[in-house]
Amino acid sequence: RKEVEQDPGPFNVPEGATVAFNCTYSNSASQSFFWYRQDCRKEPKLLMSVYSSGNEDGRFTAQLNGASQYISLLIRDSKLSDSATYLCVVRESSGDKLTFGTGTRLAVRP
Amino acid sequence: SQTIHQWPATLVQPVGSPLSLECTVEGTSNPNLYWYRQAAGRGLQLLFYSVGIGQISSEVPQNLSASRPQDRQFILSSKKLLLSDSGFYLCAWKGTNTEAFFGQGTRLTVV
């Protein structure tokens, strides 16, 4: 089983739609969680951290379910500029290693 | 503010040739540094990470090596490149809140 698993997509949605991605992780000792965004042929950039109580940043909401070992990202009112690959990232308890999922591709159409 | 520099941006090398990719970080001291590779259509694979000068942890046995000769310098090397070494190489450093920040990457094509 992969350490971090994501549905590769693509998720093809119209502008204004709400879309949600899930990510599961296998290491129950994982302590920190993040969502990154990667545009085509560019480096990944931090989108938001995921806190145990859930957190929101504008149109983006991230949640953690520690018992079921998954995190989620919800995007409301999708924009064309949201089209990208969204990477789920998990930090193990030792703190030195970050493990990336393979990413979920989102395509927002006019 | 902290910045990370990685070069070159693109590189085309013949099979069997050596490789040296350099990454430097500014604006922070004693960072954790990482080398990742992303093959076409694939996820990021952690290759090496370093918690300090001369300290290298290898994640995957392969044709590559890493060195950290200075606190803010991380080098990825190979003595003889293989076709399978082609990919997008990304250097990253870990921030205070444990998130990672990436350099702009080097797109390596081995021909």
Side-chain angles (χ1 to χ4, degrees):
Chain A
R1 182 183 174 187
K2 290 182 182 177
E3 292 180 67
V4 181
E5 290 202 66
Q6 296 181 251
D7 181 343
F11 285 65
N12 193 325
V13 303
E15 273 188 291
T18 295
V19 62
F21 310 135
N22 281 342
C23 164
T24 59
Y25 58 94
S26 60
N27 186 350
S28 60
S30 299
Q31 289 194 340
S32 299
F33 309 89
F34 310 91
W35 284 102
Y36 277 70
R37 171 195 169 124
Q38 186 175 24
D39 293 296
C40 187
R41 301 179 72 82
K42 297 288 188 180
E43 76 276 20
K45 293 185 178 178
L46 179 67
L47 178 66
M48 58 196 303
S49 301
V50 185
Y51 302 124
S52 56
S53 56
N55 49 299
E56 189 174 305
D57 183 2
R59 298 181 293 110
F60 298 84
T61 300
Q63 290 191 312
L64 166 67
N65 184 322
S68 301
Q69 295 182 205
Y70 76 84
I71 66 172
S72 63
L73 177 67
L74 181 77
I75 305 176
R76 291 182 298 277
D77 188 23
S78 298
K79 312 290 185 191
L80 293 175
S81 58
D82 293 334
S83 297
T85 297
Y86 291 83
L87 304 171
C88 169
V89 185
V90 174
R91 179 181 73 88
E92 63 183 27
S93 55
S94 70
D96 296 326
K97 182 179 163 184
L98 294 170
T99 302
F100 284 73
T102 54
T104 298
R105 195 154 62 90
L106 172 65
V108 181
R109 63 181 187 271
Chain B
S1 63
Q2 300 88 352
T3 56
I4 180 167
H5 301 279
Q6 193 181 338
W7 65 92
T10 59
L11 192 60
V12 180
Q13 293 282 100
V15 168
S17 64
L19 173 74
S20 181
L21 301 179
E22 188 166 344
C23 170
T24 59
V25 181
E26 295 177 1
T28 185
S29 56
N30 198 30
N32 283 9
L33 296 173
Y34 304 82
W35 278 111
Y36 286 87
R37 176 173 61 199
Q38 188 175 38
R42 306 283 296 276
L44 272 75
Q45 178 186 35
L46 179 62
L47 302 175
F48 301 95
Y49 67 95
S50 171
V51 300
I53 295 174
Q55 300 178 64
I56 308 294
S57 296
S58 175
E59 286 297 301
V60 186
Q62 58 211 317
N63 185 40
L64 301 167
S65 62
S67 62
R68 185 164 176 180
Q70 299 180 43
D71 181 44
R72 286 171 282 182
Q73 185 184 32
F74 203 22
I75 298 172
L76 183 70
S77 304
S78 174
K79 292 182 179 178
K80 288 186 178 182
L81 285 169
L82 306 172
L83 287 174
S84 57
D85 291 326
S86 293
F88 190 35
Y89 288 83
L90 290 153
C91 178
W93 72 278
K94 188 160 73 71
T96 53
N97 290 326
T98 76
E99 71 276 18
F101 297 95
F102 286 87
Q104 292 187 325
T106 296
R107 198 161 298 278
L108 171 68
T109 305
V110 182
V111 296

